[in-house]
Amino acid sequence: MDGIQVLHIVDHLVEGRTKIVEFYVSRIRPELRAAVEAWIALKPLENPNTPAHPLVMPEYTRRVLDPSRTEVHRLEEDAEHQLRMANVANQTSDRYVLFTVLLASVLFFTGIAGKFDLGKARAALLVFAAIVLASVGVLLFATPVARA
């Protein structure tokens, strides 16, 4: 929006319509007005050393662009923090999915152990299922719970 307003002001300034320039300048926001007034005071039509347009004037960059850059930097840091938090939450959810699969395997091994006659195979499957169940139980209590 600032660029469009500056274009209108510069066009009318070049055409010598000072009343229209004054009209526009009096109605633009204060941050831009300070830069436009400072730029016009440098007599851009006569002075070749004048900056190309008001949006590169220190009055504008200091009051508009610098705070915006600071806000962008703060938002980028916040986004990085949120991304780290999301990655931690993703790892936690992956652990819970793994625990679900391991607990399903406990059910599977316990179920097929019943199909075997009493003996080493049945005992081995039940012992294996018990070890997996105990391991998942310990890991489950060590895994953080998501906070809303």
Side-chain angles (χ1 to χ4, degrees):
M1 187 57 121
D2 288 349
I4 293 170
Q5 291 174 329
V6 165
L7 284 174
H8 286 296
I9 291 169
V10 170
D11 283 344
H12 293 295
L13 184 67
V14 168
E15 293 172 4
R17 298 178 183 165
T18 56
K19 291 280 188 197
I20 296 175
V21 170
E22 290 171 9
F23 173 80
Y24 277 129
V25 171
S26 68
R27 285 165 175 75
I28 57 179
R29 61 193 188 102
E31 295 87 355
L32 181 59
R33 184 178 311 125
V36 170
E37 288 173 348
W39 185 73
I40 291 173
L42 294 175
K43 301 187 187 237
L45 299 178
E46 300 166 11
N47 182 0
N49 297 326
T50 303
H53 52 80
L55 299 180
V56 295
M57 295 290 291
E59 291 82 357
Y60 185 77
T61 58
R62 206 175 37 246
R63 293 178 77 185
V64 176
L65 297 182
D66 291 345
S68 297
R69 289 181 185 128
T70 303
E71 179 69 9
V72 165
H73 181 68
R74 187 191 65 74
L75 290 172
E76 284 175 346
E77 287 177 349
D78 186 44
E80 289 172 7
H81 173 71
Q82 295 295 331
L83 180 62
R84 284 191 301 273
M85 298 292 289
N87 286 334
V88 168
N90 186 40
Q91 290 173 351
T92 301
S93 71
D94 288 347
R95 283 189 200 130
Y96 277 106
V97 170
L98 176 64
F99 296 155
T100 302
V101 170
L102 290 172
L103 289 173
S105 70
V106 168
L107 291 174
F108 171 75
F109 289 121
T110 305
I112 64 168
K115 300 295 180 187
F116 288 94
D117 291 329
L118 292 176
K120 291 181 183 178
R122 185 179 213 178
L125 288 173
L126 290 174
V127 167
F128 180 71
I131 290 171
V132 172
L133 180 62
S135 300
V136 170
V138 169
L139 293 173
L140 188 61
F141 285 109
T143 302
V145 176
R147 304 264 191 278

